[in-house]
Amino acid sequence: MPPRRLGRRLTQLYTGLALYGASSALLVRAGLGLEPWNVLHQGLAELTGLTIGVVSIVVGAMVLLLWIPLRQRPGLGTVSNVFVVGIAMDATLALVPEAHTMAVRIPLLVAGIVLNGVATGLYIAARFGPGPRDGLMTGLHRRTGRSVRLMRTVVEVAVLATGFALGGTVGVGTLLYALSIGPLAQFFLRLFAVPSESGSTVVATGPSKRAILPG
């Protein structure tokens, strides 16, 4: 692979992961509902006293261990995801103050969701492997023969319910994220697709057939 193209892919990977962590932090500050895995991370953070970023790293590492019996192979993006997202989330939370009015919280929510879509497009289009949580779902799909959509639904409902029971924030933002992140991710995947050696671009076919959302 030409060094310039590899350099672009690496830049997209780490920019996307950092922005993903930052976007998750904006959703935390909005306080109107988080994506399912961060509902769990926030609940565990409340329980343990750790920061949500540290919890994200720990959970990501534990999920990655589940790849072993599922015979999944991690890539550079997989391992990087575990650390970069959590670090970026805590760093952004340290910089962005808590919001107390809806005039601030709603723009933070919208910005967080859109930025998450941008981050997803950058990270996945770099093609360095899925995040640990998506790899868990695709691994379960291969082992059980069930659809990726079903595996994602079952896992994320369980994660969401557990996180909510532990004190994680579920709200209108959770629903808005679920409805909008698929179309946003697909748009930005095509926008940031890296040309192949033949000159064509390679993008994911869609969330219904492949797990495209990092986590």
Side-chain angles (χ1 to χ4, degrees):
M1 177 171 293
R4 183 175 300 176
R5 187 168 297 158
L6 178 60
R8 172 183 168 177
R9 290 176 62 204
L10 287 169
T11 300
Q12 282 195 200
L13 170 66
Y14 289 106
T15 300
L17 291 176
L19 290 179
Y20 195 95
S23 69
S24 294
L26 294 183
L27 294 179
V28 171
R29 286 292 183 242
L32 296 172
L34 302 175
E35 62 269 48
W37 281 98
N38 274 328
V39 173
L40 176 63
H41 298 155
Q42 188 181 53
L44 289 171
E46 293 286 339
L47 180 67
T48 63
L50 299 173
T51 67
I52 189 172
V54 170
V55 171
S56 173
I57 292 171
V58 172
V59 171
M62 293 176 65
V63 170
L64 195 55
L65 291 176
L66 296 177
W67 282 35
I68 297 173
L70 295 175
R71 298 179 183 177
Q72 292 279 91
R73 293 184 179 181
L76 175 64
T78 309
V79 178
S80 298
N81 179 292
V82 172
F83 298 99
V84 177
V85 172
I87 292 170
M89 189 185 307
D90 276 351
T92 304
L93 287 171
L95 294 173
V96 179
E98 293 186 15
H100 299 288
T101 66
M102 295 301 283
V104 177
R105 294 168 70 189
I106 292 175
L108 279 177
L109 172 65
V110 174
I113 292 175
V114 174
L115 185 60
N116 196 278
V118 174
T120 297
L122 283 166
Y123 160 58
I124 298 297
R127 306 195 313 274
F128 278 108
R133 296 158 185 83
D134 271 342
L136 172 64
M137 296 169 198
T138 54
L140 289 171
H141 154 67
R142 294 193 181 107
R143 296 289 285 181
T144 65
R146 304 290 184 176
S147 69
V148 172
R149 178 179 294 179
L150 176 61
M151 291 297 98
R152 176 179 287 276
T153 300
V154 169
V155 171
E156 292 194 346
V157 166
V159 164
L160 183 66
T162 304
F164 179 69
L166 292 173
T169 305
V170 177
V172 64
T174 307
L175 178 60
L176 184 59
Y177 180 91
L179 293 175
S180 60
I181 193 59
L184 283 171
Q186 279 300 108
F187 173 78
F188 288 111
L189 274 166
R190 295 188 180 279
L191 183 64
F192 296 124
V194 179
S196 65
E197 293 185 7
S198 63
S200 62
T201 56
V202 179
V203 296
T205 57
S208 62
K209 293 184 179 180
R210 297 174 62 184
I212 66 167
L213 303 182

